[in-house]
Amino acid sequence: MYTPSFNSFTDRKDIITFMQRYSFAAIVTVVDDVPIATHLPFLVKEDGDKLFLYSHFAKANPQSKEIFDKTSLVIFAEPHAYISPSNYEKETNVPTWNYIAVHAYGKATLLESAQQKTELLKHTINAFEAGYLKQWEGLPDDYRSRMMNGIVAFGIEVTDLQAKKKLSQNRAEVEKDNIIQSLEKSADTNEREIAAYMKQLKH
């Protein structure tokens, strides 16, 4: 990912927190020189100094057969906001976009056993709707088995982690303040979140 030095995002703890907050990501693989992607919810887990991503495909998804024995790219890319040149001091400026993105690379490992799938789904439910777990566990065994047979579960050990914060770090302080004030007034949640991330950089 192209990252100028002033947009560098290197704090590992903050990067992982960001990935966990915006955990609906796109997994990209290349088949016959053509990139293919699927959007999936990911569990982001640390194990010592290692980082793992866990998710599952629908078995009918052709990409589920293409992610093993090759490197995948998982892209976490929220929030974002259009930045108007009206926030700048000089007229000789153009619009841009502020955003935060994380690119995680690694090879997938198949989680094949019923126990592995059960654990993955349990952790996924706990992450996104813990209150549903009791209902899930109370469903008929044959129904749950059919659901689990219809997925391809996997884990990825992250071997390369690239992160970028493009938050107007190269602009004058007055311009940053103008942008923050403008975005804070927005009805768009993405824009207000970018304003909050920009304010964090000022502290």
Side-chain angles (χ1 to χ4, degrees):
M1 177 165 51
Y2 169 63
T3 307
S5 58
F6 52 82
N7 295 140
S8 181
F9 180 14
T10 58
D11 187 298
R12 182 180 171 87
K13 182 179 178 182
D14 285 349
I15 292 170
I16 293 171
T17 297
F18 176 86
M19 295 165 72
Q20 291 170 334
R21 180 177 180 183
Y22 302 101
S23 56
F24 192 72
I27 181 168
V28 182
T29 50
V30 176
V31 180
D32 297 328
D33 294 326
V34 178
I36 56 175
T38 300
H39 301 266
L40 299 172
F42 281 87
L43 299 177
V44 182
K45 302 287 186 182
E46 287 186 278
D47 185 2
D49 61 352
K50 294 183 178 181
L51 181 64
F52 294 89
L53 309 178
Y54 297 97
S55 192
H56 64 274
F57 288 99
K59 188 175 287 186
N61 185 335
Q63 193 181 8
S64 68
K65 301 175 181 65
E66 301 293 345
I67 66 167
F68 304 105
D69 301 319
K70 62 182 69 173
T71 299
S72 296
L73 164 62
V74 183
I75 301 174
F76 301 80
E78 290 185 79
H80 56 85
Y82 171 82
I83 306 301
S84 168
S86 64
N87 292 294
Y88 302 145
E89 294 184 287
K90 296 180 180 179
E91 268 191 23
T92 51
N93 276 289
V94 295
T96 189
W97 218 273
N98 277 3
Y99 62 91
I100 302 174
V102 175
H103 289 189
Y105 295 83
K107 291 184 178 180
T109 300
L110 180 65
L111 304 178
E112 193 168 13
S113 72
Q115 181 179 354
Q116 287 176 311
K117 288 183 179 181
T118 298
E119 286 299 306
L120 173 63
L121 292 178
K122 179 179 178 180
H123 289 309
T124 301
I125 291 167
N126 274 327
F128 296 103
E129 189 185 4
Y132 174 67
L133 184 60
K134 184 177 180 180
Q135 180 178 334
W136 166 253
E137 292 179 336
L139 294 173
D141 289 343
D142 62 335
Y143 177 82
R144 287 192 295 156
S145 293
R146 288 198 305 273
M147 294 297 100
M148 288 193 291
N149 286 336
I151 67 172
V152 176
F154 65 93
I156 295 175
E157 181 180 349
V158 177
T159 53
D160 184 15
L161 191 62
Q162 302 176 16
K164 178 177 182 178
K165 283 183 178 179
K166 185 178 179 298
L167 299 175
S168 302
Q169 294 99 318
N170 59 325
R171 308 304 309 195
E173 289 302 314
V174 65
E175 294 174 334
K176 293 177 189 176
D177 289 338
N178 290 343
I179 294 167
I180 290 170
Q181 290 169 21
S182 174
L183 296 180
E184 284 182 327
K185 297 173 185 175
S186 173
D188 187 294
T189 302
N190 269 306
E191 295 186 351
R192 295 197 304 273
E193 289 180 357
I194 285 293
Y197 275 112
M198 290 182 67
K199 288 178 79 170
Q200 288 177 16
L201 289 182
K202 292 174 68 67
H203 297 295

